[in-house]
Amino acid sequence: MMAKFNNVINSTRPVLVDFYADWCGPCKQMPAILKQVKDELKEQVRIIKVDVDRNPLIATKYQIRSIPTLMLFKEGELIWTGMGVRSANEIKRLVKQQIAST
């Protein structure tokens, strides 16, 4: 899984990673928020979900201590981290800034 994850985040297209767990209440709000982000940004960003319980190596590598945690990667580089539930507008603004800065 780690190799596949690294392959995905090394994309030239920004990759937004949602670290979550099935037992996490606030995490259940994220799919609807991320759908709004995807509906607007379409192919400008890739959004993936990583279950911290099923992928402890990835969670440990990125020091995930609270969930949900969002991380934005571009070409393998971590460019933004946000903990907790974030609004779709905030996420879209951050991703658009990253797209514009490249």
Side-chain angles (χ1 to χ4, degrees):
M1 181 65 191
M2 183 66 106
K4 183 179 178 197
F5 179 81
N6 287 335
N7 190 38
V8 170
I9 65 170
N10 277 302
S11 165
T12 53
R13 179 169 53 155
V15 178
L16 184 64
V17 182
D18 174 19
F19 288 94
Y20 78 101
D22 290 335
W23 49 262
C24 162
C27 296
K28 293 177 180 17
Q29 298 173 44
M30 293 310 300
I33 293 169
L34 294 174
K35 183 181 182 320
Q36 291 176 41
V37 173
K38 186 67 177 171
D39 286 349
E40 183 172 325
L41 298 179
K42 310 254 187 274
E43 296 306 310
Q44 293 179 307
V45 65
R46 181 168 181 187
I47 299 173
I48 64 170
K49 296 174 67 64
V50 174
D51 183 326
V52 296
D53 292 331
R54 291 195 188 111
N55 301 285
L57 291 174
I58 297 171
T60 301
K61 178 177 180 183
Y62 291 100
Q63 301 175 345
I64 305 302
R65 293 196 172 83
S66 68
I67 48 175
T69 292
L70 295 174
M71 290 187 165
L72 185 63
F73 292 88
K74 180 125 195 225
E75 296 176 2
E77 186 181 335
L78 176 61
I79 50 182
W80 177 79
T81 302
M83 290 180 201
V85 175
R86 301 295 179 116
S87 74
N89 287 338
E90 179 186 3
I91 298 166
K92 287 187 281 194
R93 188 182 74 245
L94 283 156
V95 173
K96 285 178 183 173
Q97 284 173 352
Q98 296 309 322
I99 294 167
S101 70
T102 54

